[in-house]
């Protein structure tokens, strides 16, 4: 029996990146031997064991054979005769197919070290095409390592395009697609994930609502980049610089979906696009089982981002209605999330990436002023029915007056 450190741990060590997870491959062992050594088996589809002390994963070396459509359509052979090279051959990319033994010696039968040096994401073998999930994984790795100069090898991109055209992507489960999406949103350059998917034809298959934005013009006066799809990628790039909150990043991604529905005769104008996009956001979230927290914030950003951009022009009573609709009274953290998404939208335009966004400070001041009115204290008095509605009405009226006072003294 021989044990090797494999996959991301080896790759990240060689890139001088922090190593989060240590995964091990065991060659020449049976499940019975692993159990006898005290390991706990957790894998049903193939033998994976947890170390009795460290709880790290140890998987028996295995080969896979395609038997059906989709990510799970494989039969697995984890016999003790499976070699190191055979196991590494089934992996997606050469940079993930490097092993290290207990003495620190590297085993690199598919030239992964050379591809690390070349900053190239290249498939290990033509078996790459058997697993449609790899299209998403490669796009995610392209986003994760973009800042290090990595790009997808042309021959690998060709295989990804072939998978996209095959119908195999439709066999992926909603959970798997969402997991890759969420991981991609957490990278430093999430826009690269979607650009790679678009380059290989997968964006139109998996995220047609986003694909539909490319080629849709916007007024050049406000959007020098013109193309809505380009703008969306720029917004995603900007929001990644402003926050690590994936719910905000998702909201920024989908905030302009409604522009794809604007009548051609009205282009490049997009009247009411924020509201037109709401059904599209709901459909996308339902399709991939996106968390409610992400969905609700995305709906709020789509619905209100145009109001936020012109917030200094809004009447005090309109602002209080906005606070009510967004439920900021109970969920004040949403205000910060909304403002970050709107700031990214403003900065996601050619030549305007470093433009200040004073609307954020202004709206925070208005909400702080309105919050000084003790709405919760009124509720705590125990009023019921019409009484509480009357008291809350008075509180909102007071909030409007406070904001009017602030507006009267504001330089804007």
């Amino acid at each position: 029996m021989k044990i090797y450190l494999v996959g991301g741990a080896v790759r990240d060590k060689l890139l001088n990146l922090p190593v989060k997870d240590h995964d091990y491959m065991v060659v020449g062992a049976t499940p019975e031997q692993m159990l006898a050594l005290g390991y706990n088996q957790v894998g049903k589809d193939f033998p994976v064991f947890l170390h009795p002390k460290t709880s790290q994963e140890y998987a028996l070396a295995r080969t896979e054979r395609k038997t059906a459509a989709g990510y799970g359509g494989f039969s697995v052979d984890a016999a003790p005769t499976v070699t190191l090279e055979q196991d590494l051959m089934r992996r997606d990319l050469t940079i993930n197919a490097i092993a290290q033994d207990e003495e620190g010696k590297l085993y690199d039968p598919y030239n992964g070290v050379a591809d690390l040096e070349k900053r190239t994401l290249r498939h290990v073998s033509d078996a790459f095409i058997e697993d449609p999930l790899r299209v998403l994984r490669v796009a995610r790795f392209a986003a994760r390592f973009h800042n290090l100069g990595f790009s997808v090898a042309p021959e690998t991109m060709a295989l990804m395009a072939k998978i996209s055209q095959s119908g195999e992507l439709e066999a992926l489960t909603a959970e798997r697609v969402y997991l890759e999406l969420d991981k991609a949103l957490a990278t430093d350059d999430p826009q690269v994930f979607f650009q790679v998917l678009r380059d290989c034809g997968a964006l139109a298959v998996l995220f047609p609502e986003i694909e539909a934005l490319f080629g849709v013009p916007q007024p050049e006066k406000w959007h020098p980049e013109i193309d809505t799809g380009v703008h969306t990628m720029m917004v995603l790039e900007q929001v990644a610089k402003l926050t690590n909150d994936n719910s905000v990043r998702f909201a920024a991604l989908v905030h302009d979906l409604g522009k794809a529905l604007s009548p051609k005769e009205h282009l490049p104008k997009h009247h009411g696009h924020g509201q037109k996009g709401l059904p599209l956001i709901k459909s996308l979230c339902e399709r991939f089982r996106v968390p409610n927290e992400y969905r609700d914030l995305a709906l709020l950003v789509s619905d209100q981002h145009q109001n936020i951009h012109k917030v200094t022009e809004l009447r005090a009573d309109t602002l209080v209605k906005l606070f009510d609709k967004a439920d900021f009274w109970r969920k004040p953290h949403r205000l910060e999330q909304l403002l970050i998404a709107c700031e990214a939208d403003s900065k996601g335009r050619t030549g305007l990436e470093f433009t200040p966004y004073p609307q954020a400070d202004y709206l925070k001041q208005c909400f702080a002023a309105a919050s000084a009115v003790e709405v919760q204290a009124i509720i705590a008095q125990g009023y019921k029915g019409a009484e509480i509605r009357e008291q809350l009405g008075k509180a909102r009226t007071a909030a409007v007056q406070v904001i009017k006072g602030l507006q009267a003294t504001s330089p804007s």
Side-chain angles (χ1 to χ4, degrees):
M1 186 171 73
K2 185 84 172 178
I3 297 176
Y4 301 88
L5 182 67
V6 292
V10 180
R11 176 199 66 223
D12 291 348
K13 272 187 178 182
L14 294 173
L15 289 172
N16 294 315
L17 297 175
V19 176
K20 296 181 180 179
D21 300 312
H22 291 76
D23 295 320
Y24 295 89
M25 180 214 306
V26 183
V27 176
T30 64
E32 293 74 20
Q33 287 175 300
M34 298 295 288
L35 293 171
L37 291 170
Y39 288 79
N40 299 306
Q41 185 169 350
V42 295
K44 295 181 179 180
D45 298 329
F46 51 85
V48 176
F49 300 84
L50 298 182
H51 191 282
K53 294 182 179 180
T54 66
S55 295
Q56 292 175 330
E57 287 192 1
Y58 288 70
L60 298 188
R62 67 185 188 272
T63 60
E64 296 173 343
R65 184 170 59 87
K66 184 76 168 175
T67 57
Y71 166 73
F74 293 90
S75 63
V76 175
D77 177 14
T81 54
V82 175
T83 66
L84 171 72
E85 290 77 10
Q86 287 175 317
D87 181 283
L88 294 177
M89 179 179 282
R90 70 174 175 79
R91 297 173 184 266
D92 50 6
L93 298 172
T94 61
I95 65 171
N96 297 329
I98 309 168
Q100 185 178 46
D101 66 18
E102 294 170 292
E103 288 75 43
K105 180 181 178 181
L106 293 178
Y107 295 82
D108 181 27
Y110 305 107
N111 301 312
V113 173
D115 280 337
L116 284 175
E117 294 172 351
K118 296 175 185 176
R119 299 298 196 252
T120 300
L121 302 173
R122 191 190 317 277
H123 62 284
V124 174
S125 72
D126 287 344
F128 175 94
I129 204 169
E130 295 178 351
D131 185 355
L133 185 64
R134 288 174 171 173
V135 172
L136 290 165
R137 281 175 53 83
V138 172
R140 173 165 59 84
F141 282 126
R144 179 181 174 188
F145 296 132
H146 178 72
N147 64 326
L148 298 179
F150 276 82
S151 60
V152 182
E155 59 270 29
T156 302
M157 187 67 80
L159 290 183
M160 292 166 64
K162 192 171 182 180
I163 294 173
S164 300
Q165 296 164 8
S166 71
E168 281 275 301
L169 290 175
E170 288 92 328
L172 292 173
T173 65
E175 291 82 2
R176 293 301 308 188
V177 175
Y178 170 73
L179 182 61
E180 292 298 323
L181 168 64
D182 200 44
K183 288 181 178 179
L185 287 174
T187 65
D188 289 340
D189 295 281
Q191 75 283 357
V192 174
F193 173 77
F194 295 96
Q195 190 58 60
V196 170
L197 291 183
R198 186 163 192 260
D199 291 344
C200 71
L203 190 65
V205 177
L206 294 172
F207 304 102
E209 301 92 341
I210 299 172
E211 173 68 31
L213 298 176
F214 287 89
V216 176
Q218 303 167 111
E220 186 175 3
K221 177 182 178 180
W222 307 114
H223 288 277
E225 72 285 351
I226 299 177
D227 190 293
T228 305
V230 173
H231 166 61
T232 297
M233 295 299 100
M234 295 178 70
V235 172
L236 199 53
E237 181 179 3
Q238 290 299 319
V239 79
K241 297 176 181 178
L242 296 172
T243 181
N244 291 324
D245 186 337
N246 264 20
S247 65
V248 181
R249 293 182 177 201
F250 178 77
L253 170 68
V254 299
H255 80 286
D256 266 352
L257 292 188
K259 286 184 177 179
L261 301 180
S262 297
K264 291 184 178 179
E265 61 270 21
H266 294 169
L267 296 177
K269 296 181 179 180
H270 299 278
H271 297 299
H273 69 272
Q275 293 66 48
K276 290 177 183 176
L278 300 181
L280 296 176
I281 294 172
K282 291 177 182 177
S283 175
L284 189 155
C285 290
E286 182 178 354
R287 187 166 76 248
F288 293 118
R289 302 177 187 175
V290 174
N292 292 345
E293 174 192 357
Y294 285 32
R295 179 202 63 202
D296 293 346
L297 180 61
L299 292 172
L300 174 63
V301 172
S302 181
D303 186 46
Q304 294 295 329
H305 70 274
Q306 291 170 281
N307 279 334
I308 303 304
H309 292 330
K310 59 180 182 180
V311 69
T312 58
E313 303 171 17
L314 300 183
R315 293 158 46 99
D317 58 337
T318 302
L319 288 177
V320 172
K321 288 178 182 178
L322 189 158
F323 299 158
D324 287 343
K325 186 174 185 180
D327 200 15
F328 289 155
W329 310 113
R330 293 189 307 129
K331 301 175 182 178
H333 66 280
R334 275 190 175 180
L335 174 61
E336 183 70 21
Q337 292 176 316
L338 171 63
L339 291 174
I340 291 173
C342 291
E343 181 176 354
D345 181 31
S346 177
K347 291 182 174 179
R349 299 178 292 168
T350 299
L352 300 170
E353 295 86 350
F354 303 101
T355 303
Y357 195 68
Q359 293 93 324
D361 286 339
Y362 175 78
L363 192 59
K364 288 178 185 177
Q365 291 173 6
C366 290
F367 182 66
S371 297
V373 177
E374 293 292 337
V375 175
Q376 292 302 322
I378 292 173
I379 295 174
Q381 292 297 318
Y383 295 108
K384 295 181 180 179
E387 289 180 321
I388 194 170
R389 287 195 294 273
E390 180 183 354
Q391 295 301 322
L392 289 175
K394 290 180 179 179
R396 285 175 171 79
T397 300
V400 169
Q401 295 305 315
V402 170
I403 293 175
K404 283 184 176 179
L406 176 66
Q407 289 175 329
T409 58
S410 175
S412 60

